[in-house]
Amino acid sequence: METPNISSSSFLWYFIRFLVLVCLILCSLETCFTLEESDVKSHLGLEYSHTVQVKSLLPATTCSLSTEGHDKKASVLKVVHKHGPCSHFYQSHKENAPTHTEILEQDQARVNSIHSRRNPKKAIDRLGQRQWDGITVPALSGRTVGGGNYIVTVGLGTPKKQLSLTFDTGSHLTWTQCRPCVRPCYKQVDPIFDPSVSSSYANVSCNSKECSKLKSGTGYAPSCATSTCVYAASYGDGSISVGFFAKETITLTSTDVFNGFLFGCGEINQGLFRGSAGLLGLGRDSISFVEQTAAKYGRFFSYCLPSTSSSTGFLSFGKEKRRRASKGVKYTPLATLPQTEYSSLYGINLVGITVGGRKLPISTSVFKTSGTIIDSGTVITRLPPQAYSALRDAFQQGMKSYPRAPAILILDTCYDFSSYETVNIPKIAISFKGGLTLDLDGTGIIYPVTTSQACLAFAANENDSDIAVFGNVQQLKLEVVYDVAEGKIGFASGGCL
């Protein structure tokens, strides 16, 4: 039998045809490979999802200090989570750290308080009332003050005393506990401030212009005690602070010292504030820290909230002090809110939501009806029910390959990741007026109770007319820039760990 005489050129021709045929077959099965990583990601659906290490969802037990934003010569304060290992009172108070159920309960109390601005009398009637020197304040409900888990340390008085204060863009009045307490002060780690040993302390008189500012800043008309202005501040869970409105020296750094700073010297402070010495109010009212320091900082500040309670972030004041390491800031204009009761809060125009690369079919009128604020003290973002339903359904569709876990209070979409090392989570992007689209980090999408109960970090308001709240989980790792003087808020990636 003769062996066919196949020339080398013929062999090469048949070999090339064979390779082409194999490629065509592979392509028909949608398994073609190219050298472009973006094509591979698109084919696998990874372009529209985050690949997340499950173990990274939970915080570590040791502190991981961020070097970002900590310029000792600048007006930059270190931000830590109140209940994490980076907090200086973590060891003494960790047994009292709130459970996730308590965190979510107090978060809902805070949102209820925000919504109750439209009907404050109803809110007070629901909580009960207590009289003190002519001031009516909500009675103690036994829960913690709503939200506000991030703290900074400032100096107060002369000589200065270091105090750890919760900073809050949803509050205006800065206050701390003061001696002598009319009733027992709640437990805090820092020594309680004693105005009698400060040479720069001075009470504000009842008939002063400063005293008259309290009504807009706290929601309560001021009262008088021995001709001294008395303030009252209440929070969504019924916790209160009542005391003298006063002037004092507040110190951020050696070059950032403010004399005659208006603050509340609280002698009745009820509620489990869990260790912090009080609040640093960063709202827009005239008594806020932002307004009182406007001559120096120009109503400009920014912060980065750490990604977990075991890392650190920063709070900075002044445009020239802003960190330069963050990737370019993109801005959206401050919004005029549809309800005048919220005019002193930071409004933003939310216009759309995208999940897994697809824009959700939500009418912009849904967001216009409610309006939206950004709040550092609210944990979970609240959306109008129509918007939340669309978001939840799209997210569940993208997560259908993972086993579901039980809901926990306001979080109704949870998953069990305990059998996985990595998971793919649909990307979520939030669009704001002005062309700003904010792509959320994976830490801004999932709220981890445990690895076996990891939940979508969004919730629905009770009604479509309730104002929406852009919470702090969605702000993690971002530098959030408040340029109040220019009427805009910006976001920059790569803010902190």
Side-chain angles (χ1 to χ4, degrees):
M1 186 175 184
E2 295 183 1
T3 301
N5 185 18
I6 301 177
S7 67
S8 59
S9 59
S10 297
F11 176 80
L12 180 60
W13 168 249
Y14 283 112
F15 182 70
I16 291 174
R17 290 185 64 185
F18 173 75
L19 289 179
V20 170
L21 180 62
V22 170
C23 286
L24 288 174
I25 293 173
L26 290 176
C27 285
S28 68
L29 295 175
E30 298 185 347
T31 55
C32 275
F33 297 96
T34 72
L35 296 178
E36 295 293 331
E37 181 182 2
S38 60
D39 291 341
V40 175
K41 286 185 175 181
S42 179
H43 171 72
L44 297 176
L46 299 180
E47 184 179 355
Y48 303 112
S49 65
H50 292 288
T51 300
V52 177
Q53 294 282 337
V54 172
K55 65 180 181 180
S56 71
L57 293 173
L58 300 179
T61 56
T62 57
C63 178
S64 175
L65 290 173
S66 172
T67 59
E68 303 294 340
H70 294 175
D71 183 353
K72 293 182 179 180
K73 296 181 180 180
S75 312
V76 180
L77 303 175
K78 182 172 70 174
V79 171
V80 299
H81 193 283
K82 188 188 303 183
H83 308 298
C86 296
S87 168
H88 73 285
F89 50 81
Y90 170 72
Q91 291 298 328
S92 61
H93 279 71
K94 63 181 179 180
E95 71 277 4
N96 293 322
T99 65
H100 286 285
T101 297
E102 290 175 323
I103 290 172
L104 295 174
E105 284 179 340
Q106 71 185 45
D107 197 49
Q108 187 57 49
R110 181 183 179 91
V111 172
N112 289 344
S113 177
I114 292 172
H115 291 162
S116 72
R117 290 182 180 222
R118 302 188 70 184
N119 193 347
K121 184 178 184 302
K122 180 180 178 181
I124 292 175
D125 289 343
R126 183 179 68 248
L127 291 168
Q129 298 179 346
R130 176 167 293 144
Q131 295 285 335
W132 183 75
D133 283 349
I135 300 174
T136 301
V137 295
L140 176 67
S141 68
R143 298 179 184 174
T144 60
V145 62
N149 286 323
Y150 296 97
I151 61 174
V152 293
T153 299
V154 302
L156 190 68
T158 306
K160 69 179 180 181
K161 305 296 182 183
Q162 296 297 110
L163 298 174
S164 298
L165 303 179
T166 301
F167 77 89
D168 186 4
T169 60
S171 297
H172 311 297
L173 176 69
T174 295
W175 64 266
T176 188
Q177 292 198 110
C178 284
R179 296 193 182 280
C181 295
V182 176
R183 295 178 184 147
C185 287
Y186 66 83
K187 186 178 180 181
Q188 66 179 55
V189 172
D190 301 318
I192 295 174
F193 185 72
D194 187 349
S196 68
V197 299
S198 173
S199 62
S200 51
Y201 178 88
N203 284 324
V204 170
S205 64
C206 293
N207 58 1
S208 65
K209 291 182 179 179
E210 290 91 346
C211 187
S212 64
K213 295 177 180 180
L214 282 172
K215 180 65 165 63
S216 62
T218 65
Y220 293 98
S223 186
C224 278
T226 61
S227 300
T228 301
C229 186
V230 176
Y231 78 92
S234 67
Y235 301 91
D237 58 358
S239 299
I240 62 170
S241 177
V242 178
F244 294 113
F245 197 40
K247 294 181 180 180
E248 186 53 285
T249 297
I250 189 168
T251 302
L252 302 192
T253 69
S254 60
T255 59
D256 294 83
V257 181
F258 301 91
N259 299 315
F261 179 77
L262 294 169
F263 82 111
C265 199
E267 295 190 7
I268 294 180
N269 310 290
Q270 297 185 4
L272 301 178
F273 291 93
R274 297 191 191 273
S276 67
L279 291 178
L280 180 67
L282 299 182
R284 300 176 68 182
D285 189 82
S286 62
I287 65 171
S288 75
F289 182 86
V290 176
E291 289 298 318
Q292 290 194 62
T293 60
K296 182 176 180 65
Y297 298 138
R299 297 183 178 87
F300 188 102
F301 68 98
S302 69
Y303 58 75
C304 182
L305 304 179
S307 58
T308 71
S309 61
S310 58
S311 55
T312 62
F314 65 86
L315 169 64
S316 69
F317 295 96
K319 186 173 295 187
E320 71 280 4
K321 307 296 186 183
R322 214 201 115 249
R323 288 186 58 253
R324 304 300 178 189
S326 300
K327 298 176 182 177
V329 182
K330 296 181 180 179
Y331 288 96
T332 183
L334 280 168
T336 300
L337 297 170
Q339 303 94 341
T340 58
E341 296 84 358
Y342 306 118
S343 60
S344 62
L345 301 178
Y346 294 102
I348 50 178
N349 286 302
L350 198 162
V351 297
I353 302 175
T354 301
V355 178
R358 295 182 180 180
K359 186 175 181 179
L360 301 180
I362 306 170
S363 171
T364 55
S365 64
V366 172
F367 299 115
K368 286 183 179 179
T369 299
S370 67
T372 306
I373 63 168
I374 181 171
D375 183 27
S376 68
T378 297
V379 179
I380 302 297
T381 288
R382 302 304 202 284
L383 296 172
Q386 289 187 56
Y388 175 71
S389 295
L391 169 63
R392 177 197 59 205
D393 293 348
F395 187 80
Q396 289 179 354
Q397 179 64 26
M399 296 288 289
K400 60 185 179 181
S401 62
Y402 297 103
R404 292 292 296 271
I408 175 171
L409 298 178
I410 58 173
L411 304 180
D412 62 10
T413 300
C414 303
Y415 297 89
D416 182 356
F417 295 152
S418 59
S419 299
Y420 301 85
E421 291 186 1
T422 62
V423 292
N424 290 320
I425 300 169
K427 289 184 178 180
I428 295 179
I430 309 294
S431 296
F432 299 98
K433 185 178 180 179
L436 168 62
T437 295
L438 184 61
D439 294 315
L440 300 181
D441 185 80
T443 56
I445 298 173
I446 293 294
Y447 181 90
V449 180
T450 64
T451 56
S452 59
Q453 193 178 27
C455 307
L456 175 64
F458 292 80
N461 279 330
E462 185 176 345
N463 301 300
D464 279 328
S465 61
D466 291 333
I467 197 162
V469 184
F470 191 68
N472 63 38
V473 169
Q474 282 65 41
Q475 301 172 47
L476 298 177
K477 288 188 177 181
L478 297 169
E479 182 180 11
V480 186
V481 180
Y482 292 72
D483 192 343
V484 184
E486 294 293 328
K488 57 186 180 180
I489 290 180
F491 300 91
S493 60
C496 57
L497 294 177

